[in-house]
Amino acid sequence: MEISDAQTFLIDNHHGVLVARKKDGSLQMTLVSPVIDAEGKVIITARDSTYKVKNIKRDPRISLLVYGDKFNGSNYIQVDGKAEVIEHPRAMDIVLDWHRQIRGVPDNWNDIRKKTLSEGRIAIRVTIEKAGPQSRG
């Protein structure tokens, strides 16, 4: 699978499982709602106090399984790449774009900005280095 195929898949599919690495090398998994930005990078959001953020800051290598609306029977992809934690003020526009793609346009963007800051919500941007599934055989 080409990276461009994975980027296209992410336009309409926003259910995912992020895999990061803990300090001891074991895996940490968490549910996420990924989107793709205008540069073809994967964007997720998180509260700045979460384990995924701490783990990514220490080791930016991640894997991400993304699947369709139904867990069983949907198409899916795996992407591997390097994640970058983006904090405020740079994170705000990225988080707002994520919100637009996942939840649509709100009645009041200022309310979303305030909520983003009060929750400590930041952005994680992933550069895709590899995508699959690869053909078997």
Side-chain angles (χ1 to χ4, degrees), residues 57-73:
K57 282 182 176 180
R58 187 181 48 262
D59 184 344
R61 298 173 298 156
I62 65 92
S63 293
L64 179 65
L65 173 73
V66 182
Y67 54 93
D69 285 335
K70 295 187 304 181
F71 178 77
N72 193 6

Side-chain angles (χ1 to χ4, degrees), residues 19-23 25-28 55 58-59 61-62:
V19 179
R21 288 162 179 77
K22 296 179 185 179
K23 193 175 193 176
S26 62
L27 302 179
Q28 183 250 331
N55 290 331
R58 187 181 48 262
D59 184 344
R61 298 173 298 156
I62 65 92

Side-chain angles (χ1 to χ4, degrees), residues 3-30:
I3 290 174
S4 60
D5 296 328
Q7 292 164 326
T8 299
F9 186 82
L10 277 152
I11 292 170
D12 296 315
N13 296 282
H14 308 292
H15 302 288
V17 178
L18 176 76
V19 179
R21 288 162 179 77
K22 296 179 185 179
K23 193 175 193 176
D24 67 2
S26 62
L27 302 179
Q28 183 250 331
M29 293 181 270
T30 187

